Amino acid sequence: MDDESINRSYKGVKHCEKRIKTLKGISRYIPNQHGAWAMLILPFLFGLAASPKQFIHIPLFVCWFFIYLFSFPVLQWIKTGNSKRYRKPVVIYGAILLPLLASLVWVKPALIWYGVLLLFFFMANMYYAKIKNERALLNDITAILLFCSFIYPVVHIEEGGDWILTTELFLLLVCYFIGTALYVKTIIRERKNPRYYYASIIYHLIIVLFAAWIKVFLIIPFLILFIRAIWLPKFELKAKHVGMAEIGFSLMLYVSVLFLYF
C-alpha cells in the first residue's frame, strides 16, 4: 500500500470517528424510545378531535413536547450519573421550557394541578432510572398513564369538554399502549419468554372484548392488534421495524376513533 492510499485510509478513519462523535453528541438530546413518540402525539390528536380547536392548543403541545425532551436527559443523568454528558441538554431544554410553563400557568392557572400529577408519575420514572430498571413493565405502565393523561388538559383547557367521552378515549389509549408494551417485549427483550407471549395474547383478547363493549365496531382495530400480538412475535423483527409498524397501528387506531366517534 503506497503513502497516498495510507493517507486516504487515515482520513477516512478520522472522518468516521468525527461522525460517530457528532452522532453521540446529538443522541444526548434526542430520546431513543421509538414508541414514546406515538404516546406523545396520539393523546394530543385524540384530545383535539374531542374538543373545539383553540389557539392555546399550539403552545400547550409545544410545552408538552419540551417537557418530554427535558425529561429524557434528566432520566439519563439519574440513570448514568454522567452529569458532564447530560447537564447541557438539561439546561437548554429547561431554559426553553420554563417560560413556556410560566406563560401557560399564567393564562390557565388550573394547569398547575395537572403539573403536580405529572410530577407524581415522573417520580416513579426517576426511581426506575435510579435503579437502572427503566424497562420494567410497571415503569412502562406508569409512563403510559402519564402520556395518555395529556388528553384531559387538551380537551378541558377551555370550558365545555365532555368528561365521559374524554375518559373513554383515555381508556382506549391506555389499553392500546399497554398492549403495545407487552407485545414489544415479546419481540425484543422477552422474545424467549413464553409467559410474556401468552400474557400478551390474553391481554389483547381482553381489550378486544372491552373495546367491543364501549363501541361494537371498535372490535375491528383491536382485533387487528390481537392478531398482531399472536403473529408478529413469530418473526425476528428488529426494533426499527417494530417502531415503523407501530406508526401504522397508531394511525389505524386514530382513524378508527375519528370515524366511530366524530
Side-chain angles (χ1 to χ4, degrees):
M1 184 179 289
D2 56 26
D3 290 343
E4 186 178 348
S5 298
I6 292 172
N7 287 334
R8 282 201 301 266
S9 299
Y10 177 75
K11 289 179 180 178
V13 169
K14 295 299 289 183
H15 176 74
C16 288
E17 288 177 350
K18 185 177 178 181
R19 185 174 178 84
I20 290 169
K21 187 176 180 180
T22 301
L23 291 174
K24 283 183 176 180
I26 293 172
S27 67
R28 60 183 170 161
Y29 291 90
I30 308 298
N32 57 358
Q33 297 92 350
H34 300 92
W37 292 103
M39 289 195 290
L40 181 79
I41 296 169
L42 210 55
F44 177 71
L45 294 179
F46 274 36
L48 275 187
S51 62
K53 281 67 176 174
Q54 304 286 340
F55 176 78
I56 198 170
H57 283 129
I58 298 174
L60 181 66
F61 180 75
V62 172
C63 188
W64 181 242
F65 178 72
F66 278 102
I67 287 174
Y68 174 54
L69 292 181
F70 176 73
S71 70
F72 173 69
V74 169
L75 291 175
Q76 292 301 308
W77 188 342
I78 292 170
K79 177 184 175 182
T80 64
N82 191 342
S83 59
K84 183 179 179 181
R85 176 173 172 80
Y86 293 107
R87 183 185 291 113
K88 188 174 180 180
V90 167
V91 170
I92 290 174
Y93 287 144
I96 296 171
L97 184 58
L98 190 59
L100 288 171
L101 284 172
S103 59
L104 274 176
V105 171
W106 178 267
V107 175
K108 295 291 178 181
L111 284 173
I112 198 168
W113 298 111
Y114 181 63
V116 172
L117 178 67
L118 291 183
L119 186 60
F120 174 76
F121 280 102
F122 189 62
M123 287 173 65
N125 298 142
M126 291 167 67
Y127 166 75
Y128 280 102
K130 183 67 176 177
I131 64 173
K132 296 179 172 58
N133 191 25
E134 72 277 18
R135 300 295 183 180
L137 182 60
L138 187 57
N139 189 46
D140 288 342
I141 293 172
T142 303
I144 287 165
L145 291 171
L146 187 155
F147 277 106
C148 293
S149 70
F150 186 56
I151 191 173
Y152 285 100
V154 174
V155 173
H156 299 285
I157 193 77
E158 298 290 353
E159 299 295 329
D162 186 334
W163 281 94
I164 295 176
L165 173 61
T166 308
T167 302
E168 272 192 27
L169 296 177
F170 167 76
L171 290 174
L172 288 175
L173 285 165
V174 169
C175 287
Y176 165 62
F177 284 121
I178 291 178
T180 297
L182 281 169
Y183 148 74
V184 168
K185 286 186 184 298
T186 65
I187 289 183
I188 301 173
R189 295 184 177 272
E190 302 292 342
R191 183 184 301 172
K192 297 180 180 180
N193 188 338
R195 288 183 297 176
Y196 260 93
Y197 177 71
Y198 290 113
S200 174
I201 291 174
I202 292 169
Y203 174 83
H204 278 85
L205 179 59
I206 292 170
I207 63 173
V208 166
L209 300 175
F210 176 71
W213 176 70
I214 292 178
K215 275 189 184 295
V216 66
F217 286 109
L218 278 172
I219 197 173
I220 297 172
F222 280 91
L223 193 57
I224 293 172
L225 296 173
F226 175 62
I227 295 169
R228 173 200 68 173
I230 296 173
W231 187 47
L232 289 185
K234 297 182 184 296
F235 300 90
E236 293 188 0
L237 299 175
K238 295 182 179 179
K240 179 177 70 174
H241 300 141
V242 175
M244 291 173 63
E246 282 312 303
I247 294 173
F249 289 122
S250 297
L251 185 60
M252 173 195 70
L253 182 62
Y254 175 59
V255 171
S256 299
V257 165
L258 284 182
F259 181 76
L260 293 173
Y261 278 90
F262 309 107

